[in-house]
Amino acid sequence: MFHYISGTAALLLPNLAVIDCGGVGFEINTSSYTLSQLKQGEKAKLFTYVHIREDTFEIYGFSGESEKRCFEMLLGVSGVGPKAALSILSVNTPESLIMNIVSGNEKSIMAAPGIGKKIAQRVILELKDKMAKETQSVSFSDPGVFTAPIVSDRSKLGDAAAALAVLGYSTPEINAALKGVDVESLTLEQIIKAALKQMMK
């Protein structure tokens, strides 16, 4: 319905931003991380997800598309609704969330208010399984985009590519984003961060 909302940050409250767009104030539920990127009275652009039910019409917004994709990814986990997904993203950046899923770090996910051990375990289990499937499906169709050191570390490269695929990026986008990234000298989280930075250009 809305891809993004751009305007002035008229009011900032815990997990809520009011964006004035053409004289209309949109209440947008958002994460602590996104709120930290906003300044009251200044321009703001939030990528949005609209949650509609019989008695509910809520807008969720994020400062970057990768955070929005993580939000949508979390909604795909059984038992995780918008509030829980937002809570998880308030204590995890997209990169750290992916890392916590890959490493099975349930404590970092449980650090989110209202998130217990069962939900944290389910997030890790379901999304790790999804990443495993993505690792099988992601193909590096253009080997020329990778340097020799990268090819020698296929496991780390595969994990990074799978994480990006789970976030909704296509194989060509992943290939382009990983071009020239020195996989051997970077950690998995740094590789993912570097790739996301390329995608945001």
Side-chain angles (χ1 to χ4, degrees), residues 5 21-22 50 71 75 103 119 125 152 201:
I5 290 177
C21 181
V50 180
F71 179 78
L75 290 182
S103 63
I119 290 292
L125 180 66
S152 70
K201 285 183 178 180

Side-chain angles (χ1 to χ4, degrees), residues 1 11 39 51 72 79 112 123 159 173 185 187 189:
M1 183 176 288
L11 183 64
K39 289 186 179 180
H51 179 66
E72 293 171 331
V123 166
D159 287 344
E173 287 175 317
S185 67
T187 65
E189 184 172 6

